[in-house]
Amino acid sequence: MRMRDWLATRLEQLHYFLLPSTCLLCGAAGAASRDLCAGCAADLPRNSHACAICALPLSLDNQIGLCSPCCAQSPEYDRAFAPFCYRPPVNFLIRRLKFNGRLSHARLLGELFADARAERGAPWPDCILPVPLHPLRLRERGFNQALELARSAAYRFQIPLLAQGLRRTRYTTPQTQLDARARQTNPRGAFTLEQPLPGSRVALVDDVMTTASTVAECARVLRAGGVADIEVWIIARAGGER
Ligand SMILES: [Zn+2]
Ligand SMILES: [Zn+2]
Protein backbone atom coordinates (compact mmCIF):
# COMPACT_ATOMS: atom_id res chain seq x y z
CA MET A 1 0.00 0.00 0.00
CA ARG A 2 1.42 3.41 -0.91
CA MET A 3 2.09 5.94 1.84
CA ARG A 4 -0.64 8.28 0.59
CA ASP A 5 -3.25 5.47 0.62
CA TRP A 6 -2.07 4.29 4.03
CA LEU A 7 -2.52 7.83 5.39
CA ALA A 8 -5.97 8.16 3.77
CA THR A 9 -7.02 4.86 5.41
CA ARG A 10 -5.86 5.97 8.87
CA LEU A 11 -7.56 9.38 8.50
CA GLU A 12 -10.74 7.63 7.47
CA GLN A 13 -10.68 5.47 10.60
CA LEU A 14 -10.25 8.60 12.70
CA HIS A 15 -13.07 10.31 10.83
CA TYR A 16 -15.39 7.38 11.60
CA PHE A 17 -14.90 7.79 15.35
CA LEU A 18 -15.07 11.57 15.44
CA LEU A 19 -17.66 12.67 12.90
CA PRO A 20 -21.33 11.89 12.20
CA SER A 21 -22.08 9.36 9.44
CA THR A 22 -21.97 10.69 5.88
CA CYS A 23 -23.26 8.98 2.73
CA LEU A 24 -20.25 7.59 0.83
CA LEU A 25 -22.11 8.05 -2.45
CA CYS A 26 -23.61 11.55 -2.32
CA GLY A 27 -22.18 13.21 0.80
CA ALA A 28 -25.60 13.73 2.48
CA ALA A 29 -26.12 12.79 6.14
CA GLY A 30 -26.15 9.02 6.65
CA ALA A 31 -29.28 7.20 7.80
CA ALA A 32 -29.35 4.87 10.87
CA SER A 33 -25.71 5.67 11.80
CA ARG A 34 -24.56 4.25 8.46
CA ASP A 35 -22.38 5.91 5.85
CA LEU A 36 -25.29 5.79 3.39
CA CYS A 37 -28.39 7.98 3.02
CA ALA A 38 -31.89 6.53 2.64
CA GLY A 39 -32.17 7.69 -1.01
CA CYS A 40 -28.90 6.04 -2.11
CA ALA A 41 -29.77 2.87 -0.12
CA ALA A 42 -33.05 2.57 -2.03
CA ASP A 43 -31.22 2.85 -5.36
CA LEU A 44 -28.69 0.04 -4.76
CA PRO A 45 -28.80 -2.74 -7.39
CA ARG A 46 -30.40 -5.57 -5.38
CA ASN A 47 -29.90 -9.11 -6.65
CA SER A 48 -33.50 -10.03 -5.95
CA HIS A 49 -34.13 -12.65 -8.66
CA ALA A 50 -31.06 -14.88 -8.51
CA CYS A 51 -30.08 -18.52 -9.05
CA ALA A 52 -30.80 -20.46 -5.82
CA ILE A 53 -27.39 -22.14 -6.05
CA CYS A 54 -24.82 -19.71 -7.51
CA ALA A 55 -26.69 -16.39 -7.02
CA LEU A 56 -26.34 -15.43 -10.69
CA PRO A 57 -28.88 -12.67 -11.53
CA LEU A 58 -31.62 -14.37 -13.55
CA SER A 59 -33.75 -12.97 -16.36
CA LEU A 60 -37.32 -12.10 -15.33
CA ASP A 61 -38.77 -14.94 -17.43
CA ASN A 62 -36.67 -17.59 -15.63
CA GLN A 63 -39.29 -19.39 -13.54
CA ILE A 64 -37.15 -22.37 -12.38
CA GLY A 65 -34.98 -20.23 -10.13
CA LEU A 66 -31.77 -21.86 -11.37
CA CYS A 67 -29.33 -20.78 -14.06
CA SER A 68 -28.51 -23.22 -16.87
CA PRO A 69 -24.91 -24.04 -15.69
CA CYS A 70 -26.30 -25.03 -12.23
CA CYS A 71 -29.05 -27.12 -13.91
CA ALA A 72 -26.31 -28.97 -15.80
CA GLN A 73 -23.87 -29.45 -12.92
CA SER A 74 -23.83 -28.57 -9.21
CA PRO A 75 -20.87 -26.42 -8.13
CA GLU A 76 -18.38 -27.44 -5.39
CA TYR A 77 -20.20 -25.32 -2.80
CA ASP A 78 -23.80 -25.81 -1.62
CA ARG A 79 -25.20 -22.34 -2.25
CA ALA A 80 -24.14 -18.73 -2.66
CA PHE A 81 -25.73 -15.60 -1.27
CA ALA A 82 -25.04 -12.25 -2.95
CA PRO A 83 -27.42 -9.39 -2.03
CA PHE A 84 -26.20 -7.05 -4.80
CA CYS A 85 -25.43 -7.15 -8.51
CA TYR A 86 -21.94 -5.94 -9.48
CA ARG A 87 -23.20 -2.73 -11.03
CA PRO A 88 -22.93 0.98 -10.16
CA PRO A 89 -22.67 2.16 -7.48
CA VAL A 90 -21.81 -1.12 -5.68
CA ASN A 91 -18.91 -1.85 -8.08
CA PHE A 92 -17.61 1.66 -7.40
CA LEU A 93 -17.68 1.06 -3.62
CA ILE A 94 -15.87 -2.28 -3.97
CA ARG A 95 -13.18 -0.84 -6.25
CA ARG A 96 -12.55 2.07 -3.88
CA LEU A 97 -12.19 -0.41 -1.04
CA LYS A 98 -9.77 -2.68 -2.91
CA PHE A 99 -7.65 -0.20 -4.77
CA ASN A 100 -7.81 2.89 -2.55
CA GLY A 101 -7.89 1.19 0.85
CA ARG A 102 -11.17 2.82 1.89
CA LEU A 103 -12.03 0.62 4.86
CA SER A 104 -15.20 2.64 5.57
CA HIS A 105 -16.50 1.06 2.35
CA ALA A 106 -15.86 -2.44 3.76
CA ARG A 107 -17.73 -1.54 6.92
CA LEU A 108 -20.76 -0.22 5.01
CA LEU A 109 -20.84 -3.13 2.52
CA GLY A 110 -20.36 -5.65 5.34
CA GLU A 111 -23.25 -4.13 7.31
CA LEU A 112 -25.52 -4.16 4.23
CA PHE A 113 -24.57 -7.77 3.61
CA ALA A 114 -25.35 -8.70 7.23
CA ASP A 115 -28.79 -6.98 6.98
CA ALA A 116 -29.66 -9.00 3.89
CA ARG A 117 -28.33 -12.29 5.26
CA ALA A 118 -30.23 -11.77 8.54
CA GLU A 119 -33.47 -11.51 6.54
CA ARG A 120 -32.79 -14.90 4.97
CA GLY A 121 -32.24 -16.61 8.37
CA ALA A 122 -31.14 -20.24 8.98
CA PRO A 123 -29.14 -22.28 8.18
CA TRP A 124 -26.21 -20.54 9.88
CA PRO A 125 -22.56 -21.57 9.51
CA ASP A 126 -20.34 -22.68 12.41
CA CYS A 127 -17.52 -20.42 11.25
CA ILE A 128 -16.66 -17.79 8.63
CA LEU A 129 -13.58 -17.98 6.40
CA PRO A 130 -12.45 -15.20 4.06
CA VAL A 131 -10.94 -16.09 0.67
CA PRO A 132 -7.26 -15.37 1.42
CA LEU A 133 -4.82 -13.19 -0.47
CA HIS A 134 -1.30 -14.38 -1.24
CA PRO A 135 1.18 -12.86 1.30
CA LEU A 136 2.79 -10.80 -1.50
CA ARG A 137 -0.53 -9.27 -2.54
CA LEU A 138 -1.45 -8.74 1.12
CA ARG A 139 1.77 -6.80 1.66
CA GLU A 140 1.10 -4.72 -1.44
CA ARG A 141 -2.53 -3.91 -0.51
CA GLY A 142 -2.13 -3.79 3.26
CA PHE A 143 -5.38 -5.66 4.01
CA ASN A 144 -7.54 -8.49 2.71
CA GLN A 145 -10.84 -7.03 1.50
CA ALA A 146 -12.65 -10.36 2.01
CA LEU A 147 -11.59 -10.39 5.68
CA GLU A 148 -12.64 -6.75 6.15
CA LEU A 149 -16.04 -7.48 4.58
CA ALA A 150 -16.52 -10.58 6.77
CA ARG A 151 -16.04 -8.69 10.05
CA SER A 152 -19.53 -7.11 10.22
CA ALA A 153 -21.35 -10.42 9.66
CA ALA A 154 -19.12 -12.26 12.17
CA TYR A 155 -19.80 -9.56 14.75
CA ARG A 156 -23.53 -9.31 14.06
CA PHE A 157 -24.18 -13.08 14.06
CA GLN A 158 -21.54 -13.90 16.71
CA ILE A 159 -19.98 -16.57 14.51
CA PRO A 160 -16.20 -17.21 14.79
CA LEU A 161 -14.20 -15.54 12.01
CA LEU A 162 -11.13 -17.61 11.10
CA ALA A 163 -8.97 -15.04 9.35
CA GLN A 164 -6.17 -17.55 8.70
CA GLY A 165 -8.36 -20.62 8.13
CA LEU A 166 -7.47 -20.85 4.46
CA ARG A 167 -4.08 -19.91 3.05
CA ARG A 168 -3.15 -19.02 -0.51
CA THR A 169 0.07 -20.89 -1.19
CA ARG A 170 0.53 -19.97 -4.85
CA TYR A 171 0.72 -16.48 -6.34
CA THR A 172 -1.83 -16.25 -9.15
CA THR A 173 -2.45 -13.63 -11.82
CA PRO A 174 -5.39 -11.37 -10.83
CA GLN A 175 -8.57 -12.85 -12.36
CA THR A 176 -9.41 -9.48 -13.92
CA GLN A 177 -6.32 -9.78 -16.14
CA LEU A 178 -7.33 -13.15 -17.62
CA ASP A 179 -9.81 -14.35 -20.23
CA ALA A 180 -12.68 -16.64 -19.24
CA ARG A 181 -10.86 -19.90 -19.97
CA ALA A 182 -7.68 -18.94 -18.08
CA ARG A 183 -9.81 -17.83 -15.10
CA GLN A 184 -11.12 -21.36 -14.69
CA THR A 185 -7.69 -22.99 -14.26
CA ASN A 186 -5.79 -20.06 -12.67
CA PRO A 187 -6.64 -20.72 -8.96
CA ARG A 188 -6.24 -24.52 -9.14
CA GLY A 189 -4.08 -25.84 -6.28
CA ALA A 190 -3.63 -22.33 -4.85
CA PHE A 191 -5.21 -22.89 -1.39
CA THR A 192 -4.69 -25.03 1.71
CA LEU A 193 -6.74 -25.50 4.86
CA GLU A 194 -4.61 -24.36 7.79
CA GLN A 195 -6.50 -25.37 10.90
CA PRO A 196 -9.25 -27.68 12.18
CA LEU A 197 -12.66 -26.00 11.93
CA PRO A 198 -15.19 -25.67 14.79
CA GLY A 199 -18.02 -27.53 13.09
CA SER A 200 -18.88 -28.77 9.64
CA ARG A 201 -20.75 -25.77 8.20
CA VAL A 202 -18.71 -22.94 6.71
CA ALA A 203 -19.41 -19.54 5.17
CA LEU A 204 -16.74 -18.61 2.64
CA VAL A 205 -16.52 -14.83 2.08
CA ASP A 206 -15.36 -12.85 -0.96
CA ASP A 207 -16.14 -9.43 -2.40
CA VAL A 208 -17.22 -10.23 -5.96
CA MET A 209 -17.99 -13.49 -7.75
CA THR A 210 -17.50 -13.56 -11.51
CA THR A 211 -16.68 -17.01 -12.89
CA ALA A 212 -16.75 -18.56 -9.38
CA SER A 213 -13.49 -20.44 -10.07
CA THR A 214 -11.72 -18.97 -6.99
CA VAL A 215 -14.52 -19.86 -4.56
CA ALA A 216 -14.95 -23.23 -6.28
CA GLU A 217 -11.29 -24.04 -5.63
CA CYS A 218 -11.57 -22.93 -1.97
CA ALA A 219 -14.73 -25.04 -1.66
CA ARG A 220 -12.93 -28.07 -3.11
CA VAL A 221 -10.22 -27.72 -0.43
CA LEU A 222 -12.85 -27.29 2.34
CA ARG A 223 -14.77 -30.32 1.13
CA ALA A 224 -11.56 -32.40 1.09
CA GLY A 225 -11.02 -31.21 4.69
CA GLY A 226 -14.37 -32.70 5.74
CA VAL A 227 -16.66 -29.63 5.55
CA ALA A 228 -20.25 -30.79 5.01
CA ASP A 229 -21.98 -27.52 4.11
CA ILE A 230 -20.44 -24.57 2.28
CA GLU A 231 -22.33 -21.31 1.79
CA VAL A 232 -20.53 -18.66 -0.23
CA TRP A 233 -21.08 -15.11 1.01
CA ILE A 234 -20.47 -12.53 -1.69
CA ILE A 235 -21.26 -8.82 -1.65
CA ALA A 236 -21.94 -8.53 -5.36
CA ARG A 237 -22.52 -11.07 -8.15
CA ALA A 238 -21.17 -10.19 -11.58
CA GLY A 239 -22.75 -11.32 -14.85
CA GLY A 240 -26.31 -12.51 -15.29
CA GLU A 241 -28.75 -14.00 -17.76
CA ARG A 242 -29.76 -11.77 -20.66
ZN1 LIG B 1 -26.57 9.30 -0.55
ZN1 LIG C 1 -26.56 -20.94 -10.87
Side-chain angles (χ1 to χ4, degrees), residues 23 26 37 40:
C23 180
C26 74
C37 73
C40 288

Side-chain angles (χ1 to χ4, degrees), residues 56-127:
L56 188 77
L58 298 176
S59 62
L60 287 176
D61 56 4
N62 182 320
Q63 300 297 318
I64 321 168
L66 294 174
C67 70
S68 38
C70 287
C71 283
Q73 191 184 4
S74 298
E76 295 278 354
Y77 51 87
D78 291 277
R79 75 205 83 83
F81 179 67
F84 300 107
C85 302
Y86 191 64
R87 293 207 309 260
V90 170
N91 58 356
F92 161 80
L93 291 171
I94 291 175
R95 284 204 292 258
R96 294 254 304 199
L97 160 66
K98 277 163 86 163
F99 304 115
N100 300 97
R102 297 300 165 89
L103 295 181
S104 58
H105 293 44
R107 190 173 50 243
L108 173 65
L109 291 166
E111 287 170 353
L112 293 171
F113 177 91
D115 287 350
R117 186 60 189 78
E119 271 177 36
R120 174 161 291 204
W124 296 104
D126 299 310
C127 61

Side-chain angles (χ1 to χ4, degrees), residues 22-31 35-41 43:
T22 305
C23 180
L24 295 176
L25 293 170
C26 74
D35 288 332
L36 190 69
C37 73
C40 288
D43 288 343

Side-chain angles (χ1 to χ4, degrees), residues 131-215:
V131 169
L133 288 182
H134 188 273
L136 283 178
R137 178 116 4 104
L138 185 60
R139 200 176 309 153
E140 190 181 284
R141 189 171 289 169
F143 62 94
N144 175 2
Q145 73 278 2
L147 170 61
E148 298 308 319
L149 289 164
R151 289 188 196 284
S152 302
Y155 178 74
R156 173 93 66 93
F157 306 134
Q158 292 294 296
I159 296 172
L161 173 59
L162 307 183
Q164 315 290 334
L166 280 169
R167 190 158 69 93
R168 196 184 284 249
T169 50
R170 191 162 58 77
Y171 192 86
T172 54
T173 309
Q175 294 289 79
T176 47
Q177 293 174 18
L178 299 170
D179 62 24
R181 183 184 282 191
R183 282 182 184 198
Q184 297 293 342
T185 53
N186 184 45
R188 209 155 285 168
F191 302 97
T192 55
L193 186 57
E194 288 294 291
Q195 62 188 94
L197 303 176
S200 62
R201 294 167 302 170
V202 163
L204 177 66
V205 180
D206 208 356
D207 52 342
V208 183
M209 186 153 88
T210 309
T211 60
S213 46
T214 301
V215 295

